[in-house]
Amino acid sequence: RKQWYQRRVRGKLKPKQKPSLKSRHRLSQLKYLDIGLNYQHFRLEWESKEASYKVLVYDKEKCAKFLETFTLALPATTQVFKISDSTISDIQELVFGIDKTFELSAKGKMYRQIMKSSTDSRWGIRDRMHMFRTYENCFPGTELVDMLMEEGDFKSRAEAMEMCHQLLVIDVLHHVKLEEQFRDDGTFYRFSADEPGYSAKQDYKVQENLNKDVLLYQLCYLDDKPKATPISLIVSNVKVFLTSEYHQWPLPRLQAPLPLHLRGQHFQVLHEIDISQITMLIKNDKSLTISSDSKCFDLTFATVSALNDVATLISQLWEEVFGFPLDVCQQL
C-alpha cells in the first residue's frame, strides 16, 4: 500500500538517529492536492477532517520535479487543484489594496438569479424539508455546484467549490444554521438576499490600481536582526512587497471552519518599496540587498536561481521607468 509518512525533525540529527514519526496516511485516502503559486509550496488534504498539511518548499524547480513524480503515484480519485488564482486574488485584495468584494458580489447575484429563475429540475431555490423542519428559500450545496459546472466556466467541481466558499466568506450565501463551511453535498444553503428583512449593502466601487498584476511570488527570508524572518516577496508592476503570510490559507475544504478571530489574514504587508526609489541591488551568493532612498533590505533565498529571478525582474521594471540599467553589484 502506498503511504505518505510525515516526520518531525528538530535541530540536527545525531548519527543513526531517526526523525520521529508525526503522521502516516494512505495515498488512497488523499482527497486533494493543491499546488501553490510559482511552485513554492503544496498542500495535501486527506479524507480525515483533521489531516491537512501544507509543505513549504521555497525552491520551484525542486517542488515541480517532486510533484511531477508524486502525482504519478496518486489514485484517480485525488483531485489536483492549482490554487494560484485564489492566492493571486488574496494578494490583489490584501497586498495591492484592490477590493474584490464588488466583483464577487456581482457573480453571486448572477448565480442566485440563475438558480431562482431556472426551470431545470436539477437545481433551484425553494422550501426544503429536513428532520420534520422546513427551511425556506434554500438549496443543497451539490445543486449549486451542479449549476456552476453547467452554466459557469469551471474546469472541476473543486474550482466551483472554491467559488462557493468565497461567496460564503463575503456573506453572499451561508449555511441555513450558520455553522458549516461550504460542502458539495446535501447540506442546505441560502443566499443572503433571500433572508427575511434583507437590505442590500452599499455597492463597492471598482478601484483602478497600478498594482494589479502579480509578476512574481517568491518565498525567502528577511534578515531582520537578530534573526531571519520567513516572508513572501511579491513584485507588482510598480512595487516590491515584503509580506508575512499565514499559510493556513486557503482554508481546507474538509475541516470545520475556524472562528473569525483565529483565521488570521492570508497576507500582511511588512514593507513596500517603490521600484522608482530603488537605487542599487547587491548580490552575494544566495543573498540580495535591495537599497532604496530610505532603507536597505537584506534577503536570503533557497537557490541562486530564485535570487536571479527577483533581481532580473526588478532591474527590468526599473529600466522601464528610467530608460537605462539599474546598478546591480556582485559582492565577492
Side-chain angles (χ1 to χ4, degrees), residues 220-271:
C220 61
Y221 291 90
L222 173 63
D223 189 3
D224 194 10
K225 306 294 185 183
K227 63 179 182 178
T229 304
I231 65 167
S232 300
L233 180 145
I234 299 163
V235 182
S236 76
N237 307 70
V238 294
K239 289 186 178 182
V240 177
F241 295 89
L242 308 181
T243 71
S244 63
E245 182 173 357
Y246 184 52
H247 288 287
Q248 175 73 18
W249 289 90
L251 297 176
R253 303 170 183 85
L254 302 179
Q255 292 189 24
L258 291 172
L260 286 173
H261 69 283
L262 292 179
R263 288 184 185 180
Q265 197 165 260
H266 192 168
F267 291 95
Q268 182 176 356
V269 177
L270 303 175
H271 306 282

Side-chain angles (χ1 to χ4, degrees), residues 16-63:
K16 297 184 179 181
Q17 179 185 2
K18 294 182 179 180
S20 59
L21 181 65
K22 182 178 180 182
S23 64
R24 179 176 61 189
H25 301 278
R26 294 178 183 174
L27 288 188
S28 60
Q29 296 178 341
L30 181 61
K31 189 72 173 177
Y32 300 104
L33 166 61
D34 293 318
I35 301 174
L37 183 61
N38 197 29
Y39 286 97
Q40 294 297 290
H41 43 69
F42 62 90
R43 186 176 68 186
L44 306 169
E45 191 170 353
W46 310 86
E47 290 180 359
S48 169
K49 292 183 179 180
E50 303 302 322
S52 179
Y53 306 103
K54 193 169 187 178
V55 181
L56 307 183
V57 184
Y58 287 75
D59 183 340
K60 70 178 182 181
E61 286 82 9
K62 183 180 293 184
C63 185

Side-chain angles (χ1 to χ4, degrees), residues 34-281:
D34 293 318
I35 301 174
L37 183 61
N38 197 29
Y39 286 97
Q40 294 297 290
H41 43 69
F42 62 90
R43 186 176 68 186
L44 306 169
E45 191 170 353
W46 310 86
E47 290 180 359
S48 169
K49 292 183 179 180
E50 303 302 322
S52 179
Y53 306 103
K54 193 169 187 178
V55 181
L56 307 183
V57 184
Y58 287 75
D59 183 340
K60 70 178 182 181
E61 286 82 9
K62 183 180 293 184
C63 185
K65 186 175 181 179
F66 168 78
L67 291 175
E68 181 181 3
T69 303
F70 181 62
T71 51
L72 296 176
L74 297 180
T77 53
T78 300
Q79 296 188 54
V80 180
F81 186 51
K82 289 190 176 182
I83 56 174
S84 302
D85 290 345
S86 173
T87 304
I88 289 173
S89 180
D90 284 349
I91 289 173
Q92 289 175 328
E93 181 176 357
L94 301 174
V95 180
F96 297 171
I98 301 174
D99 196 337
K100 295 291 183 179
T101 307
F102 178 86
E103 181 182 345
L104 281 174
S105 296
K107 288 183 178 180
K109 290 177 182 178
M110 179 180 68
Y111 300 150
R112 173 177 173 266
Q113 186 60 33
I114 294 174
M115 293 281 285
K116 207 170 184 67
S117 60
S118 176
T119 57
D120 195 319
S121 60
R122 292 176 296 171
W123 51 72
I125 298 174
R126 54 181 176 270
D127 296 349
R128 315 256 181 175
M129 179 77 74
H130 180 67
M131 298 292 290
F132 307 105
R133 178 177 175 180
T134 299
Y135 295 92
E136 298 179 350
N137 298 320
C138 65
F139 53 87
T142 188
E143 288 191 10
L144 180 56
V145 176
D146 288 342
M147 185 277 291
L148 292 178
M149 291 298 296
E150 183 94 4
E151 304 287 341
D153 186 22
F154 297 95
K155 298 177 182 178
S156 67
R157 296 187 74 85
E159 282 191 15
M161 280 181 62
E162 179 64 26
M163 169 56 69
C164 295
H165 176 66
Q166 290 183 39
L167 295 176
L168 188 145
V169 168
I170 66 170
D171 202 30
V172 169
L173 61 86
H174 54 77
H175 181 265
V176 292
K177 290 185 177 180
L178 305 176
E179 59 185 28
E180 292 286 339
Q181 193 172 357
F182 189 86
R183 299 185 185 279
D184 183 9
D185 57 20
T187 307
F188 291 160
Y189 297 89
R190 182 184 295 122
F191 284 102
S192 298
D194 291 321
E195 286 288 345
Y198 171 82
S199 60
K201 297 179 180 179
Q202 183 179 1
D203 285 341
Y204 291 81
K205 294 182 179 179
V206 179
Q207 301 176 1
E208 292 184 1
N209 195 312
L210 288 174
N211 291 318
K212 59 184 178 180
D213 296 326
V214 180
L215 302 183
L216 184 65
Y217 165 85
Q218 176 66 52
L219 299 183
C220 61
Y221 291 90
L222 173 63
D223 189 3
D224 194 10
K225 306 294 185 183
K227 63 179 182 178
T229 304
I231 65 167
S232 300
L233 180 145
I234 299 163
V235 182
S236 76
N237 307 70
V238 294
K239 289 186 178 182
V240 177
F241 295 89
L242 308 181
T243 71
S244 63
E245 182 173 357
Y246 184 52
H247 288 287
Q248 175 73 18
W249 289 90
L251 297 176
R253 303 170 183 85
L254 302 179
Q255 292 189 24
L258 291 172
L260 286 173
H261 69 283
L262 292 179
R263 288 184 185 180
Q265 197 165 260
H266 192 168
F267 291 95
Q268 182 176 356
V269 177
L270 303 175
H271 306 282
E272 57 182 86
I273 314 158
D274 287 343
I275 297 291
S276 61
Q277 293 181 356
I278 294 175
T279 56
M280 181 183 296
L281 299 179

